[in-house]
């Protein structure tokens, strides 16, 4: 069946929003990519080995489905006469189609990489001005996902209009194949893609490349904000990317996501608590969750982080709403304490407290802050509270029940660089003014309290 990809008005909750709609990435994509760990040292065996672990370890069962080949899969040149893309015959002796068939046989999907430039970032042939030829080849090979980079773009950037035109050429070409291929733009936040990419792509990179460091400053990631950044750079730390994305989260929605770059969990360079913060924030901010470690050699600790079903549930929540930052408070000795809040289906709330300081901190989280834009009803209500990084004593799954809270989450202790993530389920009729509202009125009031655009607040009419 051919799925149409076009600029259309999508009706949600009696409101309309223009969006790219190919039926893909309704929740943030989940998968694994070769680049962060392997770089150019890849082969058919590299990809197949990782895919088999995704299945055998249970990662497929918790949502990881895309196996992504990054740069360096290409032959030295295109095919003579046709200009079709060719795979490196030494790394992929049986070709990409054979690999695709093998990945699909495992119940997974295959992604590939190219560049909206004359060359890729590693110097292989790019797709600029070859979009139709390459898109057709990807469809013939059975490709399900395209990561599309930004190196060697021949100066076709500098304004949103110029960059959009260059990236739209591949969007249009993918659409013309009739095969649903998730389109992941990787232009590093150049020319403010959050303002225009949602009509042509499923996700867009919003900053320079990540590095496996929690908070190290690096001049190669020079901007203080992405809003007016002229050089996105690379070697951007975890906390830097989080600060970069904070004002951009209002631009994401179902099928269209801010991409904070691939995950570094398990690649070294960070502690357990830093990895938990990294994974948690990528999940609640609705970035694609694309693993970047060597799955065949990962530790039990790494697996326990990336397979946390409670946190993945926040990422994949059908409401599709990224959390937003309520406050950021500097701490003595450096770093800061941050409060992030997001809204889930069934009127649940995710609450994350992140400590980027080098010291332990204890803080009580007031519901006056959590529901800062809401009515007195939501601030006065009681909530069932779950700790998403504590294991239930019976099931041993993450998401331990912490009891009923009212007014605040008291005395939350955080170690250096730790993030605590809670889920709060409202108890209907628990507010002090409960007698003045029916249950239906309470639910509508909770939806108004979210502070989201109306098209993101839920599936019922207001």
């Amino acid at each position: 069946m051919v799925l149409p990809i076009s600029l259309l008005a999508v009706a949600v909750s009696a409101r309309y929003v223009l969006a790219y709609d190919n039926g893909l990435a309704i929740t943030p994509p989940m998968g694994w990519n070769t680049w962060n760990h392997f770089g150019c040292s890849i082969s058919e065996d590299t990809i197949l080995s990782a895919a088999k672990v995704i299945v055998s370890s249970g990662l497929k069962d918790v949502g990881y489905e895309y196996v992504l080949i990054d740069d360096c899969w290409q032959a030295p040149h295109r095919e003579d006469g046709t200009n079709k893309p060719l795979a490196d015959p030494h790394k992929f002796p049986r070709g990409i189609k054979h690999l695709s068939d093998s990945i699909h046989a495992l119940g997974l999907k295959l992604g590939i990489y190219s560049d909206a430039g004359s060359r890729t970032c590693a110097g292989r042939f790019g797709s600029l001005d070859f979009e139709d030829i390459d898109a057709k080849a990807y469809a013939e090979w059975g490709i399900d996902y395209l990561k599309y980079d930004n190196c060697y773009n021949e100066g076709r950037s500098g304004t949103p209009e110029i960059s959009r035109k260059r990236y739209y050429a591949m969007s249009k070409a993918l659409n013309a194949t009739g095969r649903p291929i998730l389109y992941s733009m990787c232009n590093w936040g150049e020319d403010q893609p959050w303002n225009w990419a949602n009509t042509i792509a499923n996700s867009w990179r919003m900053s320079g490349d990540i590095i496996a460091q929690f908070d190290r400053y690096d001049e190669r990631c020079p901007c203080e904000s992405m809003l007016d950044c002229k050089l996105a750079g690379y070697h951007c730390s975890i906390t830097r990317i989080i600060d970069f994305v904070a004002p951009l989260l209002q631009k994401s929605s179902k099928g269209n996501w801010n991409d904070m770059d691939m995950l570094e969990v398990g690649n070294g360079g960070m502690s357990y608590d830093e990895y938990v913060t990294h994974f948690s924030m990528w999940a609640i901010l609705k970035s694609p969750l694309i693993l970047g470690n060597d799955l065949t050699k990962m530790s039990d600790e790494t697996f326990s982080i990336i397979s946390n079903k409670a946190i993945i549930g926040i990422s994949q929540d059908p409401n599709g709403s990224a959390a937003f930052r309520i406050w950021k408070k500097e701490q003595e000795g450096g770093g800061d304490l941050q409060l992030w809040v997001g809204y889930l289906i069934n009127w649940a709330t995710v609450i994350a407290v992140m400590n980027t300081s080098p010291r332990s901190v204890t803080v009580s989280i007031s519901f006056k802050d959590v529901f800062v834009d809401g009515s007195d009803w939501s601030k006065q209500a009681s909530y069932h509270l779950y700790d998403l990084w504590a294991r239930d004593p019976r099931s041993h799954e993450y998401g331990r029940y912490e009891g009923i809270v009212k007014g605040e989450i008291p005395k939350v202790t955080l170690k250096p660089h730790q993030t605590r993530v809670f889920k709060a389920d409202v108890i209907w009729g628990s507010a002090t003014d409960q007698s003045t509202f029916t249950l239906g009125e309470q639910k509508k009031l909770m939806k108004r309290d979210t502070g989201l655009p109306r098209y993101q607040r839920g599936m019922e009419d207001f």
Side-chain angles (χ1 to χ4, degrees), residues 181-430:
I181 298 175
L182 193 154
Y183 186 29
S184 175
M185 277 178 41
C186 183
N187 82 325
W188 326 317
E190 187 175 74
D191 293 332
Q192 303 87 44
W194 45 86
N195 285 328
W196 49 266
N198 67 333
T199 61
I200 64 172
N202 295 113
S203 66
W204 51 88
R205 275 280 303 283
M206 40 58 60
S207 75
D209 290 353
I210 195 171
I211 187 175
Q213 295 289 325
F214 184 71
D215 59 359
R216 190 186 83 186
Y217 178 78
D218 195 307
E219 283 286 356
R220 289 166 288 187
C221 181
C223 294
E224 295 297 323
S225 166
M226 291 307 299
L227 296 179
D228 57 358
C229 181
K230 302 300 182 184
L231 178 62
Y234 58 102
H235 279 201
C236 299
S237 70
I238 303 305
T239 57
R240 202 162 182 80
I241 292 174
I242 292 170
D243 279 339
F244 284 159
V245 80
L248 310 177
L249 296 167
Q250 59 189 294
K251 294 293 188 176
S252 69
S253 60
K254 297 177 184 180
N256 314 110
W257 309 106
N258 286 293
D259 182 355
M260 298 165 67
D261 207 354
M262 297 166 288
L263 292 159
E264 292 283 9
V265 179
N267 281 334
M270 288 186 279
S271 68
Y272 171 79
D273 287 321
E274 291 168 345
Y275 281 144
V276 165
T277 292
H278 177 21
F279 190 73
S280 298
M281 297 307 293
W282 262 235
I284 73 170
L285 302 184
K286 305 295 183 176
S287 174
L289 296 181
I290 306 299
L291 304 173
N293 58 311
D294 184 352
L295 298 180
T296 67
K297 298 178 180 178
M298 66 178 160
S299 66
D300 290 342
E301 179 180 277
T302 294
F303 181 78
S304 73
I305 295 171
I306 64 177
S307 62
N308 183 329
K309 289 187 285 187
I311 296 295
I312 291 171
I314 302 299
S315 163
Q316 301 297 295
D317 183 83
N319 198 41
S321 171
F324 59 97
R325 187 158 59 192
I326 300 292
W327 46 248
K328 178 180 179 181
K329 300 177 180 180
E330 293 184 1
Q331 299 295 297
E332 184 178 352
D336 51 59
L337 193 66
Q338 302 182 26
L339 175 64
W340 295 77
V341 173
Y343 300 105
L344 312 173
I345 59 167
N346 298 324
W347 303 276
T349 304
V350 61
I351 303 164
V353 193
M354 181 173 69
N355 179 23
T356 72
S357 80
R359 298 182 180 184
S360 294
V361 178
T362 298
V363 61
S364 294
I365 305 302
S366 171
F367 287 156
K368 290 182 179 179
D369 289 341
V370 171
F371 300 104
V372 65
D373 295 323
S375 68
D376 289 342
W377 191 95
S378 56
K379 298 167 187 174
Q380 295 170 359
S382 297
Y383 297 83
H384 292 294
L385 190 71
Y386 301 85
D387 185 335
L388 303 192
W389 282 106
R391 291 189 183 272
D392 182 272
R394 294 183 179 179
S395 68
H396 304 293
E397 296 285 354
Y398 286 115
R400 185 178 68 198
Y401 181 58
E402 298 294 303
I404 295 174
V405 292
K406 187 180 181 71
E408 67 176 6
I409 305 175
K411 297 181 180 179
V412 178
T413 297
L414 299 104
K415 294 178 288 184
H417 299 176
Q418 184 184 18
T419 293
R420 302 280 302 276
V421 185
F422 302 95
K423 181 182 177 184
D425 287 336
V426 66
I427 300 175
W428 300 111
S430 61

Side-chain angles (χ1 to χ4, degrees), residues 83-125:
N83 283 324
K84 290 181 179 179
L86 297 175
D88 187 315
H90 301 291
K91 295 179 177 180
F92 300 94
R94 293 183 288 185
I96 301 298
K97 180 63 168 65
H98 180 273
L99 177 59
S100 175
D101 290 343
S102 300
I103 296 296
H104 291 154
L106 293 170
L108 301 172
K109 298 176 181 178
L110 185 66
I112 206 163
Y113 166 100
S114 192
D115 191 290
S118 57
R119 289 183 284 167
T120 70
C121 296
R124 275 60 175 180
F125 56 79

